[in-house]
């Protein structure tokens, strides 16, 4: 007997995601992911000064605005044939890297830990930790109240198998509380050189407009010390412990296993990157070729033609279907079902994100620190690279990214020169094109820009991480990356499909970005 399971809305993510699965004999045989909102920001940029993009595209998302600022600046720099000087690159790394660290902690503790950790364990706490006692008493008070949803956002939850280790449960809850001020500190670090957080304003084409003083460098270092201690201590311990406690999830949510990443976190010269760009297809790594990137909108709520194999910047229009067409498509078994489009790499469905960064960099062999870290954990946990495109592999890869970026932040901070401008001003190029490639925490992010004969934006295009991951089917009827991760999953209870929500959350969807 076939069962239809709908999760709408998907909670503890950014934005409005709906997914529908069809289950037969407790196994998912079909899945559809729907991004349920329209924005159209990229085409709204047409006609404005090219430098506006760094600020406006950040408003696509309040969680990962730094990625859009960097990608927009890189796109215009590419059009200008310009690279920041050493101080500018290091300042940009400090802003972007701090945001990455904040986002990794946010994803694990605020969004995903509740999928694994048993929050009710705090009800039996008898120790002296003030934070845990406060949470315990608050939860008890909430449960005794007449609220419809007491103890939100911790409860309600699916009835499922959570962690049985009371020590791990209490430790993770304690670290959840400790992570909150650490994340606040990371936002202060972003604002120190970025002028504000979220939406830093100092990342521009040409570098960073902040001039670092000795005082600001010392302040950044002072804040970095407790951040580093937490990431190398509590965060590392919690992710490792959850990975060991839920080892079967290294085999769940695998999907197609094709991985795409862009070069990320350059050195002071801008020539060498900590993370490699490239694609791993069927286990074989190949260098990046951005000319292979296209988008389909066959199953997306747009009426533009052509609707398949469309290359970036080849169209200046994005036309949503009208209300009558929308209702018609929703009623069709093979109709359009998402506001997200379907990016493809040489026609292949690709997963992007922390796993792609780690696996592609490992294959490329450009960073000995990545190789050493992966080998260390593979030996300790009995893993291979094939285990990383999975629910638990994604969480582990985020830890690796955090540890590696933290090391680079410390190095860039020590090399930063006080009182030296990290910005090169240059006129906006006319009749030019550029592309900016970077990695947001969620994965491969690209901005394309074309300017007219006055230096205004003639066309603008973005393909963002979550668009890759939660894309609908394409013209060849290939399911998107997350859809493929869901298909084949065995679930215990279709009324409480925690197996499915664990898979979706492991990709850290940002729907506001995906439908930009």
């Amino acid at each position: 007997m076939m069962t239809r399971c709908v999760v709408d809305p998907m909670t503890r993510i950014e934005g409005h995601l709906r997914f529908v699965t069809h289950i037969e004999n407790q196994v998912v045989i079909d899945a559809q992911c729907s991004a349920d909102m329209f924005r159209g920001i990229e085409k709204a940029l047409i006609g404005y000064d090219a430098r506006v993009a760094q600020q406006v595209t950040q408003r696509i998302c309040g969680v990962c605005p730094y990625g859009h600022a960097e990608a927009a600046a890189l796109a215009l720099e590419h059009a200008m044939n310009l690279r920041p000087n050493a101080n500018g690159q290091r300042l940009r790394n400090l802003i972007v890297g701090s945001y990455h660290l904040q986002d990794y902690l946010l994803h694990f503790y605020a969004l995903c830990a509740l999928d694994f950790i048993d929050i009710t364990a705090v009800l039996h706490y008898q120790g002296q930790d003030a934070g845990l006692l406060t949470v315990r008493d608050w939860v008890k008070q909430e449960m005794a109240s007449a609220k419809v949803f007491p103890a939100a956002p911790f409860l309600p939850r699916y009835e499922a198998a959570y962690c049985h280790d009371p020590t791990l449960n209490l430790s993770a809850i304690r670290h959840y509380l400790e992570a909150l001020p650490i994340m606040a500190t990371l936002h202060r670090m972003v604002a120190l050189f970025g002028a504000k957080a979220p939406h830093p304003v100092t990342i521009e084409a040409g570098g960073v407009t902040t001039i670092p003083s000795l005082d600001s460098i010392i302040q950044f270092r002072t804040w970095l010390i407790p951040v580093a201690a937490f990431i190398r201590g509590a965060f590392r311990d919690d992710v490792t412990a959850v990975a060991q406690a839920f080892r079967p999830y290294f085999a769940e949510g695998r999907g197609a296993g094709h991985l795409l990443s862009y070069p990320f976190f350059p050195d002071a010269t801008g020539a060498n990157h900590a993370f490699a760009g490239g694609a791993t297809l069927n286990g074989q790594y190949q260098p990046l070729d951005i000319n292979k990137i296209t988008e389909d909108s066959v199953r997306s709520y747009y009426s533009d033609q052509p609707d398949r194999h469309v290359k970036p910047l080849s169209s200046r229009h994005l036309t949503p279907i009208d209300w009558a067409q929308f209702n018609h498509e929703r009623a069709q078994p093979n109709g359009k079902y998402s506001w997200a489009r379907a990016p493809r790499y040489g026609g292949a469905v690709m997963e992007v994100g922390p796993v792609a960064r780690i696996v592609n960099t490992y294959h490329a062999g450009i960073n000995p620190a990545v190789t050493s870290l992966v080998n260390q954990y593979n030996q300790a946990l009995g893993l291979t690279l094939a285990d990383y495109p999975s629910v638990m592999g994604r969480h582990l890869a985020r830890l690796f990214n955090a540890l590696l970026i933290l090391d680079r932040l410390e190095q860039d901070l020590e090399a930063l020169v006080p009182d030296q401008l990290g910005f090169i001003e240059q006129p906006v190029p006319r009749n030019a094109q550029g592309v900016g490639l970077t990695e947001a925490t969620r994965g491969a992010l690209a901005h394309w820009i074309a300017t007219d004969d006055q230096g205004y934006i003639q066309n603008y295009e973005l393909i963002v991480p979550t668009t890759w991951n939660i894309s609908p089917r394409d013209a060849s009827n290939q399911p998107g990356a997350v859809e493929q991760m869901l298909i084949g999953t065995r679930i215990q209870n279709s009324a409480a499909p925690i197996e499915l929500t664990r898979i979706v959350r492991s990709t850290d969807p940002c729907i506001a970005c995906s439908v930009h």
Side-chain angles (χ1 to χ4, degrees):
M1 178 180 174
M2 186 182 295
T3 303
R4 185 171 181 264
C5 176
V6 180
V7 176
D8 181 18
M10 175 72 184
T11 58
R12 282 189 274 122
I13 65 164
E14 201 292 324
H16 304 84
L17 174 65
R18 174 182 188 262
F19 69 86
V20 179
T21 56
H22 292 92
I23 302 163
E24 196 170 78
N25 298 322
Q26 294 185 296
V27 175
V28 176
I29 62 171
D30 193 21
Q32 285 189 346
C33 291
S34 301
D36 278 353
M37 60 180 176
F38 168 72
R39 305 182 78 197
I41 290 177
E42 61 186 3
K43 300 310 179 188
L45 287 166
I46 293 174
Y48 286 90
D49 187 295
R51 290 164 293 196
V52 167
Q54 284 95 286
Q55 304 305 326
V56 173
T57 59
Q58 288 194 68
R59 271 62 190 177
I60 289 170
C61 181
V63 178
C64 46
Y66 65 91
H68 294 294
E70 184 182 28
L74 288 169
L76 195 49
E77 285 168 358
H78 183 219
M80 292 174 168
N81 192 27
L82 174 68
R83 279 182 175 171
N85 63 29
N87 239 33
Q89 187 58 66
R90 292 183 181 117
L91 282 166
R92 190 176 287 178
N93 287 352
L94 292 173
I95 296 169
V96 170
S98 297
Y99 239 124
H100 263 254
L101 297 183
Q102 192 270 348
D103 218 355
Y104 295 134
L105 298 181
L106 174 69
H107 177 257
F108 182 75
Y109 287 105
L111 304 181
C112 280
L114 293 174
D115 284 342
F116 303 100
I117 298 302
D118 185 1
I119 185 65
T120 65
V122 78
L123 295 173
H124 309 292
Y125 180 65
Q126 299 296 325
Q128 300 301 314
D129 184 281
L132 290 177
L133 289 172
T134 299
V135 173
R136 182 199 66 185
D137 294 343
W138 174 76
V139 171
K140 286 182 176 180
Q141 180 182 347
E142 287 282 298
M143 297 304 291
S145 73
K147 292 182 179 179
V148 176
F149 296 116
F154 304 121
L155 300 172
R157 62 179 186 172
Y158 288 140
E159 292 302 319
Y162 295 92
C163 179
H164 299 299
D165 182 347
T167 301
L168 174 55
N169 283 325
L170 291 174
S171 174
I173 295 169
R174 182 185 299 109
H175 294 155
Y176 168 91
L177 299 173
E178 294 173 0
L180 298 176
I182 293 294
M183 288 188 281
T185 296
L186 283 160
H187 259 186
R188 294 186 185 99
M189 291 161 65
V190 170
L192 189 63
F193 296 131
K196 64 191 290 284
H199 309 124
V201 297
T202 63
I203 296 176
E204 294 283 355
V208 173
T209 57
T210 303
I211 300 176
S213 67
L214 185 59
D215 286 345
S216 64
I217 294 171
I218 292 171
Q219 180 63 77
F220 193 98
R221 183 186 294 119
T222 300
W223 283 333
L224 185 58
I225 291 170
V227 167
F230 185 85
I231 289 172
R232 291 177 177 137
F235 182 48
R236 185 172 193 159
D237 292 345
D238 288 342
V239 174
T240 304
V242 170
Q244 291 171 322
F246 290 85
R247 188 174 179 81
Y249 274 86
F250 280 105
E252 298 294 338
R254 287 183 175 269
H258 304 323
L259 305 171
L260 176 70
S261 63
Y262 297 149
F264 176 58
F265 221 90
D267 62 11
T269 69
N272 305 298
H273 295 78
F275 299 91
T280 295
L281 293 154
N282 300 314
Q284 300 299 310
Y285 170 78
Q286 56 187 245
L288 179 67
D289 180 0
I290 63 171
N291 292 315
K292 291 183 176 181
I293 296 173
T294 60
E295 278 191 297
D296 286 9
S297 58
V298 175
R299 305 295 292 277
S300 308
Y301 295 131
Y302 304 101
S303 60
D304 303 284
Q305 295 292 331
D307 60 4
R308 61 200 69 196
H309 316 310
V310 179
K311 288 185 174 291
L313 294 181
S314 61
S315 172
R316 297 183 71 240
H317 304 286
L318 184 64
T319 311
I321 60 176
D322 63 27
W323 179 242
Q325 292 172 310
F326 178 84
N327 287 322
H328 174 75
E329 292 289 344
R330 295 269 289 202
Q332 304 304 308
N334 294 309
K336 298 175 181 287
Y337 62 92
S338 181
W339 288 106
R341 289 178 285 181
R344 297 293 183 258
Y345 184 82
V349 176
M350 308 298 289
E351 175 183 342
V352 302
V355 168
R357 283 194 291 277
I358 293 299
V359 172
N360 285 345
T361 304
Y362 186 95
H363 282 312
I366 65 168
N367 188 340
V370 171
T371 304
S372 175
L373 194 58
V374 171
N375 288 343
Q376 174 192 340
Y377 272 81
N378 283 0
Q379 183 175 6
L381 298 178
L383 303 174
T384 69
L385 286 183
D387 295 314
Y388 283 81
S390 65
V391 171
M392 206 49 65
R394 293 178 194 106
H395 291 298
L396 192 62
R398 283 186 185 86
L399 169 64
F400 293 174
N401 277 264
L403 293 170
L404 294 161
I405 289 172
L406 177 58
D407 288 344
R408 285 295 304 270
L409 285 185
E410 292 173 336
Q411 296 167 23
D412 281 332
L413 182 64
E414 293 308 311
L416 196 61
V417 179
D419 303 319
Q420 184 181 97
L421 180 63
F423 177 69
I424 303 169
E425 189 168 7
Q426 191 163 303
V428 174
R430 302 183 179 192
N431 298 314
Q433 289 189 5
V435 58
L437 305 177
T438 187
E439 288 277 324
T441 49
R442 293 164 177 83
L445 170 63
H447 285 212
W448 286 263
I449 189 172
T451 61
D452 63 16
D453 56 7
Q454 296 186 46
Y456 295 149
I457 296 173
Q458 185 181 63
N459 202 359
Y460 207 91
E461 187 122 7
L462 302 84
I463 301 182
V464 308
T466 300
T467 310
W468 285 101
N469 286 336
I470 59 98
S471 79
R473 280 165 168 74
D474 57 24
S476 301
N477 204 35
Q478 294 184 103
V482 171
E483 292 174 339
Q484 292 191 37
M485 294 173 197
L486 294 170
I487 294 171
T489 302
R490 178 172 292 276
I491 67 172
Q492 296 298 316
N493 180 5
S494 60
I498 193 167
E499 299 89 349
L500 305 184
T501 56
R502 283 169 173 165
I503 290 171
V504 175
R505 284 197 191 97
S506 75
T507 67
D508 194 12
C510 179
I511 309 305
C513 281
S514 72
V515 297
H516 53 268

